[in-house]
Amino acid sequence: MSKLTALLVSWQRAFAIAVVIAQAGIAVTGSIVRVTGSGLGCPTWPECVDGSVVPVQHPEVAALHQWVEFGNRTLTGVVGVIAGLCVLAAWFHQPRRRRVLTLSLIQLGGVALQAVVGGVTVLAGLAWYTVSVHFMISMVLVWLAVLLVSSLREGDGPARLLVPAPLVKLQVVMAAVLGALLLAGTWVTAAGPHAGDASTPRLGIKVAALAQVHADLLFLFLGLLIAVGFFTRTRVYWTLVGVVLAQGALGMVQYWTGVPEVLVSLHVLGAGAVVVATATLWTSSRERTHEVELPAEDQALSKA
């Protein structure tokens, strides 16, 4: 193993943690694009404006909006580099671990997918449903990035539960409710004042009605979290409780104060934190041994 590959492997965990932060962080920068009205600062894709990949003076687009949107696009490349480093570290690690490599490749493929979805979002004029898809993919990638970090301290054997089976079922339901909660949050934003551009059509449903759905799903998630507490009260569990309560309080303040821009981005940051904490609770509920299943012919020999 060369010095370069040895360095890549030695930094593997750092790369994995960095990709968690990057996948959550780019959702926050995306929200900054929205609240500053810079969603169409670069009105074409993959170029920023016709004839130029980078921002240039344009009679119809403010320079600030161009640079905010261009900055977010540039960060996609940064996330791609980090994901690529995860793949290289997984590839050069000996012995090569299939699960780690697969999760790393998903991160890299997810960045490419997000670049395409981002382009579709721009070309569709920031249609609310494309923005929702864009955000939800980010949250899925955050969850899978947490699994990647966890896989580095695990073995390659089958998963073994560390908690009662009913708790696992509760966690599955929690994950589904969390997905619905996040999606409802995108709908609230789609109907609210922060469209990403002044000319973008909004979702034609009253914000109050969508906010109520969002709040109801939050209460359901909290109820499930209380139920989980009957089975486990680890540090990971209490961390999730704290993050969810903080996010809920922030959401209420955000609604009562008329959805100020800074709180929108903080709420997106909180959403990423909730996903990280929930995924961490999921990974802490099981373990994988370092035993690798033998090929069929070797199993036959071992039984002989």
Side-chain angles (χ1 to χ4, degrees), residues 186-246:
T186 69
W187 293 345
V188 175
T189 302
H194 303 299
D197 185 80
S199 61
T200 301
R202 312 308 294 130
L203 176 59
I205 302 176
K206 291 183 178 180
V207 173
L210 292 170
Q212 185 62 57
V213 172
H214 189 50
D216 291 343
L217 287 168
L218 173 61
F219 290 133
L220 176 57
F221 188 81
L222 282 170
L224 291 168
L225 194 53
I226 292 171
V228 167
F230 286 102
F231 294 93
T232 180
R233 297 177 187 176
T234 61
R235 181 182 300 177
V236 173
Y237 169 76
W238 287 116
T239 298
L240 175 57
V241 171
V243 171
V244 171
L245 290 177

Side-chain angles (χ1 to χ4, degrees), residues 42-58 66 70 73:
C42 288
T44 63
W45 187 88
E47 296 178 316
C48 182
V49 294
D50 289 333
S52 178
V53 174
V54 298
V56 295
Q57 188 172 357
H58 194 283
Q66 285 192 58
F70 179 73
R73 292 188 183 188

Side-chain angles (χ1 to χ4, degrees), residues 155-170:
D156 299 304
R160 183 177 71 86
L161 295 181
L162 299 175
V163 296
L167 177 55
V168 176
K169 294 178 181 179
L170 271 176

Side-chain angles (χ1 to χ4, degrees), residues 11-218:
W11 280 76
Q12 187 174 23
R13 181 172 174 79
F15 294 149
I17 293 173
V19 85
V20 174
I21 297 171
Q23 294 288 17
I26 200 167
V28 177
T29 61
S31 73
I32 294 173
V33 171
R34 291 182 65 84
V35 299
T36 58
S38 303
L40 295 178
C42 288
T44 63
W45 187 88
E47 296 178 316
C48 182
V49 294
D50 289 333
S52 178
V53 174
V54 298
V56 295
Q57 188 172 357
H58 194 283
E60 298 178 2
V61 184
L64 175 62
H65 291 170
Q66 285 192 58
W67 281 105
V68 171
E69 168 62 8
F70 179 73
N72 189 59
R73 292 188 183 188
T74 303
L75 283 175
T76 300
V78 175
V79 181
V81 169
I82 297 172
L85 290 171
C86 288
V87 172
L88 289 174
W91 180 263
F92 288 116
H93 185 278
Q94 294 299 327
R96 189 172 298 144
R97 301 179 58 199
R98 180 181 298 178
R99 186 163 179 264
V100 174
L101 181 58
T102 298
L103 287 168
S104 299
L105 286 169
I106 288 173
Q107 291 299 313
L108 185 59
V111 174
L113 174 62
Q114 281 290 67
V116 173
V117 173
V120 171
T121 300
V122 171
L123 297 177
L126 304 184
W128 67 268
Y129 49 86
T130 62
V131 177
S132 293
V133 170
H134 204 28
F135 175 78
M136 293 301 294
I137 293 174
S138 283
M139 294 300 100
V140 171
L141 290 173
V142 170
W143 182 287
L144 293 174
V146 173
L147 297 191
L148 173 60
V149 173
S150 178
S151 70
L152 297 178
R153 61 175 172 76
E154 296 175 332
D156 299 304
R160 183 177 71 86
L161 295 181
L162 299 175
V163 296
L167 177 55
V168 176
K169 294 178 181 179
L170 271 176
Q171 288 182 310
V172 171
V173 177
M174 275 182 62
V177 172
L178 177 58
L181 176 62
L182 294 170
L183 183 60
T186 69
W187 293 345
V188 175
T189 302
H194 303 299
D197 185 80
S199 61
T200 301
R202 312 308 294 130
L203 176 59
I205 302 176
K206 291 183 178 180
V207 173
L210 292 170
Q212 185 62 57
V213 172
H214 189 50
D216 291 343
L217 287 168
L218 173 61

